[in-house]
Amino acid sequence: MKKVRIRGKFCNIEAEHAKSLSRKLVGLILESRIYPILFEFENERRWSFHTFLVLKPIDFVFIDKNKRVAEVKNSVRPFRFVIKPLKPVKYVLELPQGMGSLFLIREKLKF
C-alpha cells in the first residue's frame, strides 16, 4: 500500500494513495476503522462516490488538478448512493469524520 503525505495550512496527514482501479472501487467499504485515503484520477471530472457499505460517517475533500481544495463535504452518512462535487476534480480525499474541517476552500495543498 503506497502512502502520500498531504500538507495544508492546518493539516499534515498521511493517506493511502489509491491509483489502481481495483483500489478505487473498494475504497473504505466494510472497513471497521476509517483512515485517510486519496483517490487520484487521470483527468478532472465530477467523479461520483457513495457510502454504501461504509460503516461510519466520513468526510470528503474534493481537490482540483492544481491541488486546490474545491469543496468539502462533512459527516456524510453511510448508505448514501451519490456524492458528487459541484465542479470537476482530479483528486478525492476520504477522511474520518471531523477531519474535513482541517481543509480550507481554495487552499493549495502539497502532496
Side-chain angles (χ1 to χ4, degrees), residues 27-67:
L28 293 170
I29 289 174
L30 297 175
E31 293 283 352
S32 59
R33 184 183 67 83
I34 303 299
Y35 52 88
I37 182 169
L38 178 71
F39 298 89
E40 181 176 346
F41 299 96
E42 292 292 319
N43 51 41
E44 281 192 311
R45 242 178 68 184
R46 288 187 61 223
W47 297 100
S48 184
F49 282 75
H50 68 83
T51 57
F52 188 72
L53 297 177
V54 175
L55 304 176
K56 298 175 183 176
I58 61 174
D59 293 350
F60 285 86
V61 178
F62 297 102
I63 305 163
D64 69 17
K65 67 182 177 188
N66 298 314
K67 298 185 180 175

